[in-house]
Amino acid sequence: EPEVTQTPSHQVTQMGQEVILRCVPISNHLYFYWYRQILGQKVEFLVSFYNNEISEKSEIFDDQFSVERPDGSNFTLKIRSTKLEDSAMYFCASRPGVQNSPLHFGNGTRLTVT
Amino acid sequence: DAKTTQPTSMDCAEGRAANLPCNHSTISGNEYVYWYRQIHSQGPQYIIHGLKNNETNEMASLIITEDRKSSTLILPHATLRDTAVYYCIVPNNQAGTALIFGKGTTLSVSS
């Protein structure tokens, strides 16, 4: 069964550094999402992406964050200048173009900012 | 998004059916009910979704009341590996809309 893959599984970075988290959504999906989960807290929506542009974003997704689909397969989340509070699990998800189809999530990247 | 209410936690004996309730009294129109679960810190896993008819797949059954104000997720024979946080989500009906996760129900399956 096709799945969403995320790399790396764990990334450690120093405060102030830029980090790029990578995702390969399921191949025929059209909607792409990033979520994060701070340790012990609930899964929080960051941003959704459709037709090469952001379709929806939360208040968490500020100017420090950006997303890109640089080619036909990858979907990336960039954090420009990481802060300690960016430490979290980051999940990518995708869904087909059929309305009401479910999202499928990857297993996440654990980001640790030191 | 319609607000959902779930119990904070539930216990179930291994091999028994686990029935997880969800209230969504403000559900409207063509809004679907989705169920996901999260095992430890893995990515949320899709279980099942439905509109108004009962649904069944290889993982679970979803029973939606006739007025659609509540639903129950049924794991027919719970195993230890079903221990997880279960989320009931009712997003608005806009195409591609994101799912917003609440706190869910922590299901503990014990032997």
Side-chain angles (χ1 to χ4, degrees):
Chain A
E1 184 174 330
E3 51 184 39
V4 176
T5 56
Q6 293 187 243
T7 56
S9 57
H10 190 188
Q11 178 144 3
V12 181
T13 189
Q14 289 190 326
M15 195 167 52
Q17 295 295 304
E18 174 183 286
V19 66
I20 297 175
L21 308 181
R22 303 181 191 279
C23 169
V24 179
I26 296 172
S27 65
N28 62 345
H29 286 190
L30 300 181
Y31 294 89
F32 313 109
Y33 306 81
W34 282 102
Y35 287 76
R36 80 172 186 190
Q37 186 174 33
I38 295 170
L39 186 64
Q41 298 186 23
K42 61 183 183 180
V43 178
E44 300 175 293
F45 166 68
L46 293 178
V47 66
S48 59
F49 193 84
Y50 170 72
N51 202 23
N52 283 321
E53 61 182 26
I54 291 173
S55 51
E56 198 176 357
K57 63 181 180 178
S58 72
E59 59 189 25
I60 302 169
F61 193 86
D62 61 20
D63 291 344
Q64 289 282 80
F65 293 91
S66 62
V67 289
E68 191 178 30
R69 188 154 162 80
D71 53 40
S73 60
N74 290 286
F75 181 50
T76 62
L77 174 69
K78 181 192 294 186
I79 308 174
R80 288 191 182 80
S81 178
T82 50
K83 299 175 279 205
L84 294 176
E85 54 264 39
D86 293 326
S87 295
M89 285 290 292
Y90 287 82
F91 297 110
C92 173
S94 67
R95 80 196 306 171
V98 175
Q99 194 165 359
N100 299 311
S101 55
L103 271 70
H104 295 270
F105 287 80
N107 270 331
T109 293
R110 179 174 297 284
L111 177 66
T112 302
V113 182
T114 61
Chain B
D1 294 12
K3 179 176 170 57
T4 62
T5 305
Q6 299 178 253
T8 302
S9 63
M10 295 184 66
D11 295 319
C12 181
E14 191 177 20
R16 304 298 294 269
N19 298 292
L20 293 93
C22 178
N23 286 320
H24 32 78
S25 57
T26 60
I27 195 169
S28 63
N30 293 322
E31 292 174 343
Y32 279 67
V33 182
Y34 294 80
W35 283 84
Y36 282 76
R37 72 181 183 184
Q38 187 176 30
I39 297 172
H40 204 244
S41 291
Q42 295 178 23
Q45 179 188 22
Y46 166 72
I47 302 173
I48 200 167
H49 73 293
L51 181 62
K52 50 187 172 183
N53 298 320
N54 297 339
E55 302 286 346
T56 296
N57 63 20
E58 65 279 5
M59 289 183 68
S61 295
L62 174 61
I63 308 297
I64 302 174
T65 58
E66 194 169 339
D67 63 8
R68 304 213 314 125
K69 293 184 176 182
S70 65
S71 60
T72 301
L73 178 74
I74 301 172
L75 308 178
H77 305 287
T79 71
L80 298 178
R81 288 177 296 179
D82 292 322
T83 293
V85 181
Y86 287 77
Y87 301 96
C88 167
I89 304 171
V90 180
N92 65 50
N93 201 34
Q94 294 178 7
T97 194
L99 300 179
I100 304 302
F101 288 79
K103 295 182 179 178
T105 296
T106 299
L107 175 68
S108 299
V109 181
S110 56
S111 56

